[in-house]
């Protein structure tokens, strides 16, 4: 997907919501376990209910891998369904991959070609030649981890490297990579004030912001420090939407929750137009 | 697998060779493409030929993911075969995963429980709560990226953090994690002299050393700086062994190549006994 198409979808839906598909057999409504493919049945119902209010879906790959072949099959079905029914919606493989050159090329093929994702999350630790193979794919996007929303982010990401925090070094160095125009970044919302610093280094890049809702971040804070004239934000909510109810009304509850966030986003978007 | 069992296997086989299963349909002998599952057929032949000379196999997960469901099925078959025929051999999921707590737990289940790997490679960028979920599994091992063998390693890993290189900070901080006794580390062989510095911080830990052979490292150098009284090394070779020949004699050629490395390792092992 071209970045312009993502931006135009955001303006049309008045939303920059990404729904995280962290689908867990222990948490989905019990009646779905009778389905032939409960994970896909759950995802399909969530997508059918929430798609008017969001611009992106982000399957968390770990949740599918945990179920082996069956999980992988559910993921493939979900992607086929999304690409057929909602090709305008941006898809993110939350995979946090990254390896030496020829191996990264394999991962890129797996997610961009075999599964037809629009984007993938990547860990920066192995540097340039682990990231650039992903950047070669036209109209595909690589979302590099900069500052994550977990406690462990303070182990290394905020440590001082050559006079600035490691996550700033990642932002800055990655801008020199070939194909850097196809980079986006993960910046956790639990530290919204960091977003002002992030914007000094990547004033225009799209940021994928996890940690709003269940993890405690505030949408208003994120927008205050992170929004750009072309929005430049995808704010993710996973558990807060998909597990809004564990009963037979789960899809309806997810829809309500997504709509509620979309309405808050509409207010924020009105401020920049 | 208990670490003592790995060490005793090393002493018995006089080898600390890990064979990387980077199985690529474009590189395997053409006649195997007629098989129902060419990737598994190739892996099985390589395992049958090389198992007397190595103590570990390391499927590179990207290569399997690139083929979608079929690739995942080939990987599962390979693991079932290895665990049934050669339960004494240490298995490494070269996956370079790492995510927030509940997601890391999912990855751990996928590789340790569903696929029954003995160990997995993990990227350290997200810190403590992305690593500890893996360390909870008894007799499973987590191999943290410290210093990788690619050019991009110099982007961040060797940068100065609080007075020492980031990879040293990773070694040092990770030793404080709960379950740290189940940690091993990836240290690239292209910079063998770094191993002396690594040993100052982790004198006993097992190191997984890629980059010997195709990537240019020397086995003697690695042993000079990295070997411990309990060996403490797994040296990986992938392409140099599995693609030693692309003809019908591929398994025989792989066997010869593995045996040749085992013989070099036997010489090094004699020096510490």
């Amino acid at each position: 997907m071209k970045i312009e198409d993502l931006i135009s979808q955001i303006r049309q839906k008045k939303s920059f919501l990404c729904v995280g598909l962290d689908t867990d057999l222990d948490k989905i409504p019990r009646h779905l376990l009778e389905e032939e493919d409960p994970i896909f049945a759950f995802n399909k119902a969530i997508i059918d209910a929430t798609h008017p209010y969001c611009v992106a879906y982000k399957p968390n790959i770990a949740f599918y891998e945990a179920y082996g072949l069956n999980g992988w099959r559910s993921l493939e079905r979900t992607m086929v369904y999304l690409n057929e029914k909602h090709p305008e919606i941006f898809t993110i493989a939350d995979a946090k991959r990254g390896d030496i050159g020829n191996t990264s090329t394999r991962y890129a093929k797996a997610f961009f070609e075999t599964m037809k994702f629009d984007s993938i999350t990547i860990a920066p630790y192995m540097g340039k030649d682990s990231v650039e193979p992903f950047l070669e794919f036209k109209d595909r996007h690589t979302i590099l981890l900069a500052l994550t929303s977990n406690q462990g982010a303070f182990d290394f990401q905020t440590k001082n490297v050559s006079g600035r925090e490691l996550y700033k070094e990642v932002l800055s160095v990655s801008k020199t990579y070939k194909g850097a125009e196809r980079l986006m970044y993960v910046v956790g919302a639990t530290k919204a004030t960091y977003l002002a610093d992030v914007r000094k280094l990547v004033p225009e890049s799209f940021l994928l912001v996890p940690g709003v809702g269940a993890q405690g971040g505030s949408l208003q804070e994120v927008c205050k420090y992170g929004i750009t004239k072309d929005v430049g934000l995808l704010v993710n909510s996973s558990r807060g939407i998909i597990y809004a109810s564990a009963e037979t009304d789960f899809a309806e509850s997810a829809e309500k929750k997504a709509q509620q966030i979309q309405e808050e986003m509409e207010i924020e978007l009105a401020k920049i137009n």
Side-chain angles (χ1 to χ4, degrees), chain A residues 124-184:
Chain A
Y125 191 72
M126 294 181 70
K128 179 175 172 136
D129 54 348
S130 74
V131 179
E132 287 187 342
F134 292 96
L135 300 176
E136 285 174 16
F137 288 74
K138 201 163 166 265
D139 297 333
R140 304 292 182 193
H141 306 271
T142 300
I143 311 178
L144 207 58
L145 302 186
L147 189 59
T148 57
S149 57
N150 62 321
Q151 188 57 32
F154 299 103
D155 273 8
F156 308 113
Q157 297 168 25
T158 56
K159 290 240 167 104
N160 209 295
V161 177
S162 338
R164 58 181 168 190
E165 293 98 324
L166 177 59
Y167 78 91
K168 291 185 185 168
E169 188 74 5
V170 167
L171 291 170
S172 187
V173 170
S174 66
K175 285 169 70 179
T176 67
Y177 293 168
K178 193 173 172 200
E181 66 278 9
R182 292 191 268 274
L183 278 174
M184 301 180 174

Side-chain angles (χ1 to χ4, degrees), chain A residues 226-241:
Chain A
I227 210 162
T228 70
K229 65 173 173 23
D230 283 328
V231 190
L233 293 174
L234 289 171
V235 169
N236 183 73
S237 175
S238 303
R239 287 164 283 173
I241 291 176

Side-chain angles (χ1 to χ4, degrees), chain A residues 3-17 52 54-55 206 227-233 262 265-266 268-273:
Chain A
I3 203 80
E4 300 79 48
D5 293 334
L6 173 59
I7 295 168
S8 100
Q9 194 201 165
I10 290 173
R11 297 208 186 278
Q12 197 180 327
K13 287 183 175 169
K14 297 181 175 37
S15 168
F16 44 97
L17 174 62
C54 69
V55 295
F206 259 84
I227 210 162
T228 70
K229 65 173 173 23
D230 283 328
V231 190
L233 293 174
Q262 180 274 319
M265 289 179 166
E266 189 168 345
E268 297 301 321
L269 287 172
K271 295 179 188 169
I272 59 162
N273 285 320

Side-chain angles (χ1 to χ4, degrees), chain A residues 73-123:
Chain A
R73 193 178 293 117
S74 304
L75 179 60
E76 288 204 349
R77 277 188 188 149
T78 302
M79 286 307 295
V80 167
Y81 186 74
L82 272 174
N83 283 323
E84 278 179 5
K85 290 272 285 188
H86 304 288
E88 76 288 0
I89 294 188
F90 191 71
T91 51
I92 303 169
D94 197 1
K96 302 193 173 71
R97 300 295 194 265
D99 209 310
I100 58 170
N102 67 332
T103 305
S104 272
T105 301
R106 292 277 146 180
Y107 280 126
K109 278 178 197 280
F111 290 101
F112 292 159
E113 291 183 352
T114 308
M115 308 273 279
K116 297 188 172 49
F117 275 96
D118 292 309
S119 67
I120 184 172
T121 58
I122 296 295

